[in-house]
Amino acid sequence: MQWLWCWRCKSEMPMLDEQEFAEVIALFEPGARSVKKYRLETGAPFQSVPLAKHFEAMLTGYEAITGFKETNPNAVWHHRLSLYGPPCKKCGKPLRTPKARLCGSCMTPSG
Ligand SMILES: [Zn+2]
Ligand SMILES: [Zn+2]
């Protein structure tokens, strides 16, 4: 786990390495099934589903690794270190992707 600037959350977020990501994401599927079942039973619209409850196991796993209490299971999908490039030489923010040629923040070329 490593704290890194997240372009989507617009703040420093705990990012998972590949092994940690695999462990946490393995718990997504049971959560998704639980949501599906809940919606079939209640007819509730997606917006009203208490996601933090259905994905409790996954979010608890994320918190156990990162110490960060995330409530949005979907955010975990992009908190993965391998999605980002090395830090910008000028401003230190991670490049948006490993292949990015320019820093998304200060436009300094990466190579
Ligand atoms: Zn994020
Ligand atoms: Zn930069």
Side-chain angles (χ1 to χ4, degrees), residues 40-66:
L40 276 173
E41 284 168 2
T42 62
F46 187 73
Q47 301 91 292
S48 75
V49 176
L51 290 180
K53 192 160 175 288
H54 290 280
F55 289 94
E56 195 180 2
M58 178 192 174
L59 295 169
T60 302
Y62 184 75
E63 188 183 353
I65 293 171
T66 63

Side-chain angles (χ1 to χ4, degrees), residues 14-70:
M15 305 278 184
L16 304 173
D17 67 28
E18 288 304 279
Q19 197 193 328
E20 293 163 341
F21 185 79
E23 277 174 34
V24 172
I25 284 303
L27 300 169
F28 182 84
E29 200 51 45
R33 272 202 298 275
S34 165
V35 168
K36 205 168 173 184
K37 185 162 174 281
Y38 173 81
R39 293 190 62 203
L40 276 173
E41 284 168 2
T42 62
F46 187 73
Q47 301 91 292
S48 75
V49 176
L51 290 180
K53 192 160 175 288
H54 290 280
F55 289 94
E56 195 180 2
M58 178 192 174
L59 295 169
T60 302
Y62 184 75
E63 188 183 353
I65 293 171
T66 63
F68 181 82
K69 201 162 178 55
E70 178 59 71

Side-chain angles (χ1 to χ4, degrees), residues 5 9 76 88 93 100 105:
W5 173 262
C9 299
V76 177
C88 167
K93 288 192 174 153
S105 177

